[in-house]
Amino acid sequence: MKHPWLLFDIDNTLLDFTGPSPLAFAQMMEQEGHTFEPALYTIYKKGNLSVWHEFEEGKIDAIELRSKRFRLFLEATGLSGDPLKMNAGYLQGLIDHARLLKGAKELLEKVSKNHRMAIITNGLKEVQRPRIAKVGIGQYFDKIIVSDEIGSAKPHADFFHYTFQQIGHPPKSEVLVIGDSLNSDIKGGQNYGLTTCWYNPNNLKNNTEVQPTHSIQALSEVLDLIS
Ligand SMILES: [Mg+2]
């Protein structure tokens, strides 16, 4: 067996994020008494992205991240609200709307019979674990590593050091990383000396210098790489 250990990213690899995120945002806005418009979500997304970059550069911590992304949104739109409450409402929306991507359950069901698996995810603990539980895939994994809980994130080596500690230090050649992000999953895995599989369902062009070992468009193709 080529890779007895599989490390899976979560967002847009096993669970849909792109679809549920605006739904969660709209749900939160309604609860806050605001009318949802797609343009508002675009404004939120822009601020959220810059706040995550600040977080990744170590300029702000995860506590600040939770409020700042909605504080920026309120400042940009002139709307009123409590940023932390909005953050909590949005995260609850992500849990409510959690859904697996096509082929995810089937793949996990098959590979779990003869592989050991862990989840490696960048995200906030109060939303990642409940989403995993909600879609019913927790039982397939030996370990679930959430960046927010350990204070480091993909692609940083510390995140992978911690993961390897947790999974009992298998030989690196036995581990396959599967994820949709070239800059976090693939770059991080590659720098750590692991084989990587870029899940690229929309056949995006790779404009980065990161070269995944494998690229796939359907999750079922993972089976060909590990058998
Ligand atoms: Mg992802």
Side-chain angles (χ1 to χ4, degrees):
M1 194 188 296
K2 274 190 226 160
H3 300 292
W5 266 104
L6 309 177
L7 305 182
F8 280 95
D9 170 52
I10 277 286
D11 282 309
N12 286 341
T13 298
L14 294 176
L15 267 77
D16 188 12
F17 182 82
T18 307
S21 179
L23 299 176
F25 183 84
Q27 176 177 309
M28 175 278 295
M29 288 292 279
E30 236 167 74
Q31 285 165 357
E32 292 290 312
H34 298 303
T35 308
F36 172 74
E37 290 162 36
L40 293 173
Y41 179 66
T42 305
I43 294 170
Y44 160 74
K45 256 202 329 192
K46 198 173 155 219
N48 180 52
L49 196 67
S50 75
V51 168
W52 272 98
H53 283 150
E54 283 185 275
F55 174 68
E56 279 158 17
E57 288 164 9
K59 290 179 184 162
I60 59 168
D61 62 19
I63 307 278
E64 173 71 359
L65 178 142
R66 287 168 171 83
S67 62
K68 188 170 182 182
R69 55 185 181 169
F70 284 101
R71 211 167 62 232
L72 289 180
F73 170 74
L74 293 172
E75 282 166 14
T77 56
L79 294 171
S80 59
D82 172 354
L84 271 181
K85 188 163 166 269
M86 293 172 86
N87 182 65
Y90 169 69
L91 294 181
Q92 184 57 51
L94 286 180
I95 298 166
D96 295 343
H97 293 282
R99 65 186 179 210
L100 285 164
L101 285 171
K102 191 167 169 267
K105 185 95 176 179
E106 293 78 0
L107 175 68
L108 295 176
E109 185 66 43
K110 275 189 195 155
V111 295
S112 64
K113 292 196 170 84
N114 46 15
H115 290 76
R116 299 189 72 186
M117 307 196 287
I119 282 173
I120 52 168
T121 177
N122 284 357
L124 304 179
K125 59 189 171 196
E126 69 269 37
V127 68
Q128 296 306 69
R129 288 187 184 271
R131 286 168 71 227
I132 292 161
K134 167 128 197 224
V135 299
I137 58 169
Q139 74 274 18
Y140 296 120
F141 299 94
D142 288 77
K143 294 285 174 189
I144 296 173
I145 319 289
V146 183
S147 64
D148 183 35
E149 292 175 347
I150 65 170
S152 71
K154 298 172 288 183
H156 298 292
D158 284 351
F159 182 94
F160 289 90
H161 279 315
Y162 182 88
T163 300
F164 265 64
Q165 257 170 29
Q166 290 292 306
I167 66 174
H169 292 288
K172 287 183 177 178
S173 61
E174 292 188 353
V175 179
L176 177 67
V177 174
I178 302 148
D180 70 300
S181 166
L182 287 166
N183 285 318
S184 62
D185 306 315
I186 305 306
K187 186 178 171 186
Q190 200 162 58
N191 287 348
Y192 202 68
L194 309 175
T195 307
T196 56
C197 171
W198 182 31
Y199 175 49
N200 180 20
N202 299 317
N203 203 15
L204 303 174
K205 229 178 145 223
N206 180 357
N207 293 318
T208 73
E209 291 184 347
V210 183
Q211 289 301 325
T213 320
H214 306 284
S215 294
I216 58 169
Q217 274 192 265
L219 284 174
S220 59
E221 291 173 64
V222 168
L223 295 168
D224 304 329
L225 304 178
I226 60 176
S227 54

